[in-house]
């Protein structure tokens, strides 16, 4: 019987989850392609602040899965949380549509609506995200768990078909410039409306198809109320329920407050996202990691496997910090210092990141076939080795782009094909790291921690996005800033080089035009130009990759036979 199931390939439920996730990613990626440009051009925010909000928003979207995973595991079940989350995200997009409609006549209301919309989307995503991922793992019986790498790569392709469609359609209708290059700041609303419609389609399709296809090989519903689990769902000898003592829960609260205070103390500036939200994200990840390890039912093997999830999750932070520049600093560079002529068509700047989703759709299946062939030949590298390779590819992509911008000066334009090459190499890195990480959690986490363990993995993404916001905010002045300052009669380069001291009037003019009179600083180093900015990512990801390569043999032992 089991052999027959293996031959049949993947269950139909995978395609239902694939489709649901595809429409949700259309909604999410389409909206975030426009978000920073909307904040800067319509709501009149500084680029650095927009980058911090972008990083904080993405970070919280990967922090709330902890709450969503916990509520699903204990109370509502996966299915109900997916429906609730999908509905909330659609409502959030409609509020963004409203914000982008009213901002010309009521900027304070539009700003309040934007914050409310992001809050609702963040919590909706928290209910949706961990539950759909954990259901993929539940589709396969124990003897077919080796197919999870392939299943998650297919699932990942669904994510990126959605991302591709969202990043094409939402910018196409929402990021519009006339023949003179002047942006229509009223068009963003149509992009947000398209995202809302996509989310509603995905939620309705899941509601209609879930009972027929999202079932185990024996026909039992997957992701129902937690009371429906039976002993057959667990490994032999595995505890069926997590046991957290009142003492360990109390210590977790104290640890969270202490860690938050430490991170808050060492964060400078007055941006609320940077000083409050980022410390919450970092403190939550460390607190939850400690709480899971405090469960007295954990065996030695389970504990070591959980440590592998934690160690890999730490390195994932550096990957996403670099990768997620796509929606902030790389979008601003595409907007302000890139020749976006693509075969005669001037591509909207928010659409340039579409190449990542396109390349994943093209290469996800070849990568899946590669892992299958290597596995059959007994040569498949371990998951941590694949992830270290992904980090190294990110470092290489930024090294190439750093040298491409080195001689641009203040007014030179970067050819779009350099950004396309960057996204190609980063896509290869992503395929080595992200679906493999999702699969690794599914294979290593004890079932009673399934959604919670995904929550920890997503928190590492959250921490990476928070770090990406911080790093995106150190983007030095691009060509448009120097040109605008010149129109104002100000030599911005001389001010940045400190060879000229600006007058109070000049400083006010620069501030009114969202131009900084100082170079950004990171870890004590002043960032003078785009070359130095990109080299920050080369160093961070390069070092992280080498360390993870060196740790791979140790992690392999701690996985106790899991590939």
């Amino acid at each position: 019987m089991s052999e027959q199931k293996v031959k049949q390939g993947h269950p139909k439920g995978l395609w239902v989850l694939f489709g649901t996730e595809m429409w949700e990613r259309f909604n999410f990626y389409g909206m975030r392609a426009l978000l920073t440009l909307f904040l800067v051009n319509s709501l009149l925010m500084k680029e650095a602040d927009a980058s911090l909000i972008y990083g904080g928003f993405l970070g919280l979207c990967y922090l709330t899965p902890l709450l969503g995973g916990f509520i699903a595991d204990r109370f509502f079940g996966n299915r109900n949380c997916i429906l609730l989350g999908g509905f909330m995200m659609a409502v959030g997009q409609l509020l963004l549509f409203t914000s982008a409609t009213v901002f010309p006549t009521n900027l304070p209301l539009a700003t309040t609506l934007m914050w409310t919309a992001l809050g609702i989307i963040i919590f909706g995503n928290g209910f949706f995200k961990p539950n759909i991922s954990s259901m993929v793992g539940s589709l396969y019986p124990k003897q077919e768990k080796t197919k999870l790498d392939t299943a998650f790569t297919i699932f990942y392709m669904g994510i990126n078909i959605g991302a591709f469609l969202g990043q094409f359609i939402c910018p196409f209708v929402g990021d519009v410039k006339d023949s003179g290059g002047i942006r229509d700041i009223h068009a963003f609303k149509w992009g947000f409306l398209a995202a809302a419609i996509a989310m509603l389609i995905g939620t309705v399709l899941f509601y209609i198809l879930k009972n027929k296809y999202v079932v185990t090989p024996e026909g039992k519903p997957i992701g129902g109320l937690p009371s429906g689990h039976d002993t057959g769902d667990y490994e032999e000898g595995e505890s069926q329920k997590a046991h957290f003592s009142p003492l360990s829960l109390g210590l977790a609260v104290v640890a969270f407050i202490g860690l938050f205070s430490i991170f808050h103390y060492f964060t400078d500036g007055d941006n609320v996202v940077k000083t409050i939200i980022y410390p919450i994200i970092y403190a939550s990840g460390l607190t939850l990691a400690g709480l899971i390890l405090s469960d007295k039912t954990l065996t030695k093997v389970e504990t070591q496997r959980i440590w592998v999830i934690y160690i890999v999750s730490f390195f994932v932070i550096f990957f996403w910090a670099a990768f997620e520049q796509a929606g902030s600093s790389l979008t601003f560079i595409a907007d302000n210092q890139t020749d976006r002529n693509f075969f005669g068509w001037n591509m909207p700047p928010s659409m340039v990141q579409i190449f990542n989703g396109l390349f994943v759709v093209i290469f996800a299946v070849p990568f899946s076939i590669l892992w299958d062939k290597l596995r059959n030949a007994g040569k498949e590298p371990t998951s941590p080795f694949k992830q270290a390779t992904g980090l190294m590819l990110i470092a290489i992509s930024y090294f190439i782009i750093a040298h491409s911008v080195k001689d641009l000066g203040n007014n030179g334009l970067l050819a779009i094909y350099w950004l396309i090459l960057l996204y190609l190499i980063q896509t290869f890195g992503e395929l080595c790291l992200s679906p493999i990480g999702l699969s690794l959690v599914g294979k290593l986490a004890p079932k009673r921690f399934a959604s919670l363990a995904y929550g920890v993995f997503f928190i590492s993404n959250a921490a990476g996005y928070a770090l990406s916001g911080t790093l995106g905010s150190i983007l030095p002045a691009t060509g448009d800033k120097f040109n605008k300052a010149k129109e104002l009669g100000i030599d911005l380069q001389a001010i940045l080089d400190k060879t000229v001291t600006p007058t109070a009037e000049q400083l006010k003019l620069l501030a009114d035009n969202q131009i900084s009179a100082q170079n950004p600083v990171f870890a004590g180093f002043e960032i003078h130009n785009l070359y130095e900015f990109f080299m920050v990512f080369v160093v961070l990801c390069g070092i992280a990759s080498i360390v993870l390569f060196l740790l791979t043999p140790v992690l392999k032992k701690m996985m106790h036979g899991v590939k």
Side-chain angles (χ1 to χ4, degrees):
M1 185 70 183
S2 64
E3 283 180 21
Q4 186 186 354
K5 280 176 190 157
V6 170
K7 284 177 188 169
Q8 284 177 347
H10 296 280
K12 289 179 180 174
L14 178 64
W15 303 106
V16 175
L17 298 177
F18 173 105
T20 307
E21 181 80 347
M22 183 187 82
W23 286 110
E24 187 272 333
R25 292 290 91 181
F26 177 117
N27 133 81
F28 189 80
Y29 279 87
M31 175 275 290
R32 68 172 218 179
L34 299 174
L35 182 60
T36 50
L37 293 176
F38 170 63
L39 297 179
V40 169
N41 293 284
S42 298
L43 301 188
L44 305 178
M45 295 185 179
K46 288 184 177 177
E47 285 182 2
D49 289 335
S51 289
L52 289 169
I53 291 169
Y54 176 79
F57 166 70
L58 286 184
L60 288 174
C61 278
Y62 283 79
L63 180 63
T64 50
L66 285 176
L67 180 64
F70 177 79
I71 290 172
D73 281 353
R74 291 298 179 95
F75 306 110
F76 290 174
N78 302 124
R79 293 171 169 223
N80 292 332
C81 283
I82 287 170
L83 293 170
L84 174 62
F87 178 71
M88 287 176 73
M89 284 190 278
V91 169
Q93 299 289 6
L94 290 171
L95 285 175
L96 276 177
F97 167 76
T98 310
S99 171
T101 304
V102 304
F103 78 88
T105 54
N106 195 334
L107 189 60
L109 174 62
T111 305
T112 302
L113 284 170
M114 179 274 295
W115 286 113
T116 307
L118 294 187
I120 292 172
I121 291 169
I122 284 163
F123 279 99
N125 184 79
F127 282 116
F128 187 97
K129 195 154 190 66
N131 293 302
I132 201 155
S133 295
S134 63
M135 285 174 82
V136 172
S138 302
L139 286 168
Y140 295 84
K142 278 181 252 186
Q143 67 270 25
E144 291 187 32
K145 290 296 182 188
T146 54
K147 294 168 75 174
L148 276 180
D149 270 13
T150 310
F152 271 106
T153 302
I154 292 170
F155 181 67
Y156 210 68
M157 194 167 73
I159 291 174
N160 283 278
I161 290 174
F164 172 79
L165 291 171
Q167 288 171 334
F168 179 79
I169 292 171
C170 294
F172 189 78
V173 298
D175 184 10
V176 181
K177 291 186 177 182
D178 64 19
S179 56
I182 305 300
R183 175 174 275 115
D184 178 2
I185 57 171
H186 305 283
F188 289 115
K189 63 184 176 186
W190 303 118
F192 296 138
L193 183 62
I197 292 168
M199 191 65 254
L200 287 170
I201 292 172
T203 306
V204 170
L205 280 176
F206 179 76
Y207 179 76
I208 293 169
L209 298 174
K210 67 184 189 314
N211 291 335
K212 187 173 181 183
Y213 296 115
V214 187
V215 292
T216 64
E218 296 76 38
K220 282 194 324 180
I222 289 171
L225 296 175
S227 55
H229 288 321
D230 64 32
T231 52
D233 295 333
Y234 298 87
E235 297 289 329
E236 189 177 341
E238 182 185 343
S239 178
Q240 293 180 26
K241 195 169 181 182
H243 293 277
F244 299 123
S245 68
L247 176 63
S248 63
L249 290 170
L251 287 173
V253 173
V254 173
F256 173 79
I257 294 168
L259 287 164
F260 170 81
S261 302
I262 291 167
F263 286 120
H264 177 71
Y265 178 77
F266 285 106
T267 306
D268 58 349
D270 55 4
N271 184 294
V272 69
V273 176
K274 190 177 178 183
T275 58
I276 302 294
I277 291 176
Y278 287 7
I280 287 175
I281 291 169
Y282 298 139
S284 298
L286 292 170
T287 302
L288 182 79
L291 179 63
I292 289 178
L293 288 174
S294 75
D295 180 7
K296 296 288 188 281
T297 65
L298 283 173
T299 64
K300 184 183 175 186
V301 169
E302 286 176 336
T303 302
Q304 291 196 353
R305 286 177 175 171
I306 286 172
W307 268 109
V308 173
I309 295 174
Y310 291 175
I311 292 166
V312 165
S313 295
F314 172 75
F315 287 97
V316 163
I317 292 171
F318 299 100
F319 179 88
W320 292 117
F323 187 88
E324 280 303 333
Q325 296 305 308
S328 55
S329 65
L330 289 175
T331 293
F332 293 136
I333 289 167
D335 192 17
N336 301 320
Q337 202 154 357
T338 300
D339 177 1
R340 299 187 309 280
N341 188 310
F342 187 66
F343 295 105
W345 177 46
N346 201 33
M347 183 176 273
S350 60
M351 199 187 284
V352 176
Q353 57 189 290
I354 198 174
F355 290 102
N356 168 239
L358 177 63
F359 290 141
V360 172
V361 173
I362 294 170
F363 291 107
V365 171
F367 265 76
S368 177
I369 293 168
L370 172 67
W371 302 140
D372 284 343
K373 286 198 170 182
L374 288 171
R375 186 184 314 121
N376 293 335
K379 295 178 180 176
E380 185 182 18
T382 61
S383 294
F385 187 92
K386 292 177 187 174
Q387 292 177 298
T389 304
L391 272 165
M392 184 55 73
L393 287 168
I394 284 275
I396 291 168
S397 74
Y398 277 111
F399 184 77
I400 292 170
I401 202 91
H403 283 269
S404 305
V405 299
K406 199 170 185 180
D407 300 319
L408 280 184
N410 294 340
N411 291 307
L413 293 179
L414 181 70
I416 193 172
Y417 61 77
W418 286 115
L419 285 176
I420 295 171
L421 178 63
L422 172 120
Y423 285 127
L424 176 65
I425 298 170
Q426 290 194 357
T427 299
F428 291 160
E430 184 185 5
L431 286 169
C432 287
L433 184 135
S434 193
I436 304 305
L438 285 169
S439 172
L440 187 69
V441 176
K443 289 185 283 191
L444 289 176
K447 187 167 183 65
R448 64 190 181 280
F449 290 124
S451 293
L452 217 49
Y454 276 110
V456 173
F457 185 72
F458 287 136
I459 272 201
S460 68
N461 293 12
Y465 297 146
L467 184 56
S468 84
T470 301
L471 294 174
S473 71
I474 63 166
L475 177 70
T478 44
D480 60 308
K481 307 291 184 299
F482 291 100
N483 293 335
K484 184 67 183 176
K486 193 175 179 183
E487 286 173 25
L488 299 169
I490 299 170
D491 185 349
L492 180 58
Q493 189 64 62
I495 291 172
L496 294 174
D497 292 341
K498 299 183 177 63
T499 56
V500 167
T501 303
T503 64
E505 186 188 0
Q506 286 177 322
L507 286 173
K508 186 178 183 309
L509 270 175
L510 290 173
D512 288 346
N513 285 275
Q514 300 165 338
I515 302 170
S516 176
Q518 296 170 315
N519 282 318
V521 175
F522 177 69
F525 294 97
E526 189 174 348
I527 308 296
H528 298 88
N529 49 50
L530 288 178
Y531 170 77
E532 292 179 4
F533 173 72
F534 286 128
M535 286 305 291
V536 169
F537 299 100
V538 176
V539 172
L540 281 178
C541 293
I543 292 172
S545 172
I546 291 165
V547 174
L548 186 53
F549 273 126
L550 294 174
L551 284 175
T552 295
V554 180
L555 296 177
K556 187 177 180 182
K557 282 183 190 169
M558 292 170 67
M559 287 160 70
H560 293 280
V562 172
K563 295 294 183 187

